Amino acid sequence: MATATILNVFCVRQSNGSDEPVTQAVINALSALSSSLPFNGQVGESIEAFLGSIPEVVSAIDTALDSPDDFFMTTSTDGALANGIWPLDEDDDPATIPIRADQSCEPTVQVSVGGSQNLSLWDRDLGGNDHLGAVQLKSVEAGDGEKIKLAKNNTHGSAYYVTYRVD
């Protein structure tokens, strides 16, 4: 069985800053506000335009927060921190590290690869962990030197480059 060594993870863009509960709270607040605002004339169009601005408000909150991802990696598609393979704390329990755009980390963690192995990147969040993206590590890549693959998630806006080697 081949072994992949994860050499570097570079954050191109961290995930957007607001969790789904935050987004839902903003939507609920703006919706409640819209029902109490005095719209003159073309009520339907005014409400539609007002509610249509909600994604822009959420995006503005994301930009203002600029919070780092609480980053961890798993070899499963289950985003539970308990499945984390890196980072580990002083007791070898799964942990997280803060990472944001233009930052990198060097895990040097090894992963067994039989055929193909998933490597998933996650952001630990209160409302449920966000999947940042994944790459497939393949045993046929053994001996090919360092590989760089993009892990991204369009929904959360995240993009990371993963550098690894399979021996």
Side-chain angles (χ1 to χ4, degrees):
M1 183 174 291
T3 300
T5 303
I6 312 306
L7 302 169
N8 187 282
V9 178
F10 177 78
C11 179
V12 177
R13 185 182 190 294
Q14 74 258 27
S15 65
N16 53 30
S18 58
D19 295 336
E20 189 172 331
V22 173
T23 302
Q24 193 57 52
V26 169
I27 290 171
N28 291 345
L30 290 176
S31 295
L33 177 63
S34 70
S35 65
S36 65
L37 291 176
F39 290 103
N40 298 325
Q42 301 170 335
V43 174
E45 289 179 20
S46 298
I47 291 174
E48 198 172 287
F50 180 79
L51 294 177
S53 69
I54 290 174
E56 292 172 11
V57 171
V58 171
S59 179
I61 290 170
D62 289 343
T63 301
L65 286 175
D66 189 35
S67 59
D69 287 336
D70 291 321
F71 180 82
F72 68 100
M73 296 187 304
T74 68
T75 54
S76 72
T77 56
D78 178 356
L81 180 60
N83 294 329
I85 61 164
W86 190 89
L88 302 175
D89 66 15
E90 62 275 354
D91 296 322
D92 287 334
D93 292 326
T96 66
I97 61 162
I99 191 168
R100 55 176 23 109
D102 295 324
Q103 293 181 331
S104 65
C105 56
E106 296 178 351
T108 61
V109 67
Q110 294 188 329
V111 176
S112 295
V113 180
S116 182
Q117 175 61 56
N118 176 73
L119 180 72
S120 287
L121 313 181
W122 298 92
D123 173 29
R124 183 176 189 191
D125 277 332
L126 297 177
N129 298 334
D130 294 335
H131 188 240
L132 301 172
V135 297
Q136 293 298 311
L137 312 171
K138 299 179 181 180
S139 60
V140 297
E141 297 170 327
D144 289 349
E146 291 184 5
K147 298 282 188 182
I148 300 174
K149 291 186 180 175
L150 179 64
K152 67 178 187 168
N153 184 311
N154 293 335
T155 302
H156 298 294
S158 58
Y160 284 79
Y161 280 110
V162 178
T163 304
Y164 66 95
R165 179 185 67 246
V166 180
D167 298 310

